[in-house]
Amino acid sequence: MRILLMGSAAAEGWPGLWCNCDVCQRAHAVGGKSIRSRSGALIDDTLKVDLCPDTYMQARRDGLDLSRVTDILITHAHNDHLAVNELAYNTPPYAHDNPPVHVWGGERVIEKVKSATSRWPDQENRLHVLKPFQPVYLRDGTYVMPLEASHAADSSPLNFIIRRGDKTLLYGLDSGWYPEASWQAHAGHFFNVVIIDCTMGNLLRSSGHGTFSEAVQIKERMLAEGTADSSTIFVANHFSHNIKLLHHEIEEWFAGTGFIVGYDGLVLEV
Ligand SMILES: [Zn+2]
Ligand SMILES: [Zn+2]
Ligand SMILES: [Zn+2]
């Protein structure tokens, strides 16, 4: 499984789109991994996770051919994860000779996607409503278990267990500390890669997003429960610029914890 983190910021991007605070100015000055676009991922070139407003630019930046995408999993209906109008361009006259893409997400997600894809042929068979804890198989055999996320309830928030072949990913954005039912659903899985919401960084705990120390606690619990071990790759991602730390400063916070600090263009191969 090859996972490309196309973006690594929370909703406002980093530097924030309109922000003139000191850390945004520091990010402008140092550039590199401290420049973060909105979050989304690409798995094995064909499975897209979330569709952020920066997707077009990310694809050009990383030399990606998104005409190969066959399925899109959407975590929730917030605009930084679902720039829904981009889906309108997935059909002629805007796109030719690409496979018919299927979209998977919670109720609110599919509601929004429906209105943006009214010109898609066979639309009703290509949009799939996911319910927490009801696993599905994509057409290529990928197993997806939707988990309940601690995030704005009106956005139909889900996290995903994604298994392809013998490799399993936990995609844990956006969410605060996982609901107990989602912890229970980890049972029987072994995770090769775990991507955790760190929007709040070293700030106070929030109900809808994670902090650095919660990420470390999630890792400890997974190790204790045997759903992860020393071979598991833990990645912190989806950072708000209000954390006020540049990339290398976030890495300093995580030093010794075994975490990789996510950045735009990070590739994980397991
Ligand atoms: Zn978000
Ligand atoms: Zn700022
Ligand atoms: Zn969100």
Side-chain angles (χ1 to χ4, degrees), residues 11 76 80-81 174 209 238:
H76 64 299
D80 60 318
H81 298 258
D174 289 356
H209 285 296
H238 193 282

Side-chain angles (χ1 to χ4, degrees), residues 93-157:
Y94 310 107
H96 305 278
D97 306 323
N98 57 323
V101 165
H102 288 234
V103 182
W104 309 74
E107 231 159 86
R108 184 77 191 100
V109 166
I110 296 303
E111 223 170 81
K112 283 177 94 171
V113 169
K114 219 174 233 170
S115 59
T117 58
S118 55
R119 295 175 60 146
W120 281 17
D122 200 22
Q123 186 210 36
E124 63 277 20
N125 293 316
R126 294 166 59 186
L127 309 184
H128 307 269
V129 176
L130 296 174
K131 303 239 184 279
F133 313 120
Q134 293 185 14
V136 294
Y137 286 91
L138 310 186
R139 287 158 303 148
D140 64 2
T142 303
Y143 166 94
V144 177
M145 165 73 95
L147 302 176
E148 225 171 76
S150 295
H151 199 62
D154 62 355
S155 67
S156 299

Side-chain angles (χ1 to χ4, degrees), residues 24 51 60-61 71 101 103 118 127 133 137 140 150 152 160 168 175 180-182 190 195 200 221 241 265 267 270:
C24 286
L51 187 64
R60 301 291 77 79
R61 179 198 65 200
D71 293 274
V101 165
V103 182
S118 55
L127 309 184
F133 313 120
Y137 286 91
D140 64 2
S150 295
F160 298 122
T168 306
S175 186
E180 199 48 40
S182 293
F190 178 80
I195 298 174
M200 303 307 289
R221 179 161 171 181
H241 86 283
V267 174
V270 290

Side-chain angles (χ1 to χ4, degrees), residues 234-251:
F234 284 87
V235 182
N237 206 42
H238 193 282
F239 303 106
S240 161
H241 86 283
N242 289 316
I243 297 171
K244 293 196 172 295
L245 300 175
L246 298 181
H247 180 79
H248 71 276
E249 294 165 336
I250 300 175
E251 282 188 326

